[in-house]
Amino acid sequence: CSAIIASSQYGGQTFTLAHLAPFVEDTRNYFRDKLLKYCPTLSEEQLNALVEAETRKNIEDGIQTLQYQLVTISSTNGQTPFVSICMYLNEAKNEQEKKDLALIIEEVLKQRIKGIKNKNGQYFTNAFPKLLYILEEDNVDPSGEYYYLTELAAECTMKRMVPDYISEKVMKEQKKISYRLNKERI
């Protein structure tokens, strides 16, 4: 889809990881049902640990697939599509979805830190997808629940020169200004 869009437009496209977060709970439920069916004697603690391990592995595989697909496709002009991924926790609809979105963001950052293997088996920094990390209340304060993601983003910046950082506060102010200006033009 990205290649098709990129082939017929100037510039790039951005998508958010928030649309993936609801599927994390579906994945948990799938693994819970499967484990209960085949391993009915597991304790609740064992079951929860296995479900979370399988869910995290599923997220890891999904992000790796997404990343490799974006890196290996090309548009009709022979270029990799200019795609940006927005990592914005406050797009989640509820607290559980926010926690699941944090798992996805964490995996994206970990994989970018690692890099992608080239044909010689060496890890390199891929230019796309661009990563956009939104700084907000609970990920900028060291006592915030998601501060660990900002630390991971900083590590990623040191190693791979991404992500780009966007202030939620400034972004919302700019959106208000843009809305007001567009309204005045009408």
Side-chain angles (χ1 to χ4, degrees):
C1 183
S2 292
I4 294 166
I5 294 168
S7 294
S8 60
Q9 77 172 25
Y10 179 77
Q13 59 266 358
T14 300
F15 70 92
T16 178
L17 292 174
H19 74 283
L20 296 174
F23 298 104
V24 175
E25 189 63 28
D26 291 342
T27 302
R28 260 191 213 95
N29 292 333
Y30 169 80
F31 286 121
R32 180 174 299 284
D33 291 346
K34 191 173 178 180
L35 285 165
L36 284 171
K37 181 178 179 180
Y38 294 107
C39 307
T41 59
L42 288 172
S43 71
E44 191 65 28
E45 188 177 296
Q46 291 170 320
L47 179 64
N48 289 339
L50 286 170
V51 166
E52 281 308 306
E54 288 294 327
T55 301
R56 282 180 174 264
K57 176 66 173 132
N58 194 270
I59 291 169
E60 178 185 338
D61 292 347
I63 295 301
Q64 185 178 52
T65 299
L66 175 69
Q67 183 170 252
Y68 274 91
Q69 286 177 341
L70 287 171
V71 169
T72 57
I73 60 176
S74 62
S75 61
T76 54
N77 63 5
Q79 297 176 334
T80 299
F82 190 119
V83 176
S84 299
I85 297 176
C86 183
M87 299 178 284
Y88 184 20
L89 288 167
N90 280 338
E91 285 184 307
K93 294 179 184 108
N94 57 55
E95 281 307 307
Q96 183 58 53
E97 207 171 277
K98 193 171 191 175
K99 289 178 188 309
D100 293 340
L101 178 54
L103 292 174
I104 296 167
I105 292 170
E106 178 182 355
E107 188 57 41
V108 168
L109 292 169
K110 284 180 177 178
Q111 287 192 29
R112 185 54 68 93
I113 289 167
K114 185 177 181 181
I116 291 184
K117 280 188 180 180
N118 64 14
K119 62 183 176 185
N120 300 324
Q122 299 167 320
Y123 287 96
F124 73 98
T125 302
N126 47 306
F128 295 104
K130 271 181 74 75
L131 302 180
L132 307 172
Y133 184 79
I134 311 299
L135 298 166
E136 50 201 271
E137 287 295 319
D138 47 4
N139 69 8
V140 295
D141 183 354
S143 64
E145 183 176 359
Y146 300 105
Y147 185 70
Y148 75 97
L149 291 174
T150 303
E151 291 179 314
L152 200 56
E155 180 183 341
C156 190
T157 300
M158 288 187 296
K159 182 146 188 182
R160 301 291 179 189
M161 297 303 293
V162 292
D164 292 346
Y165 297 89
I166 300 170
S167 164
E168 178 186 46
K169 183 179 176 182
V170 172
M171 178 177 68
K172 286 182 174 183
E173 288 171 8
Q174 291 298 316
K175 187 174 181 179
K176 284 179 188 175
I177 292 169
S178 177
Y179 177 76
R180 191 188 77 234
L181 290 174
N182 284 332
K183 200 170 183 178
E184 288 172 3
R185 285 186 206 151
I186 296 176

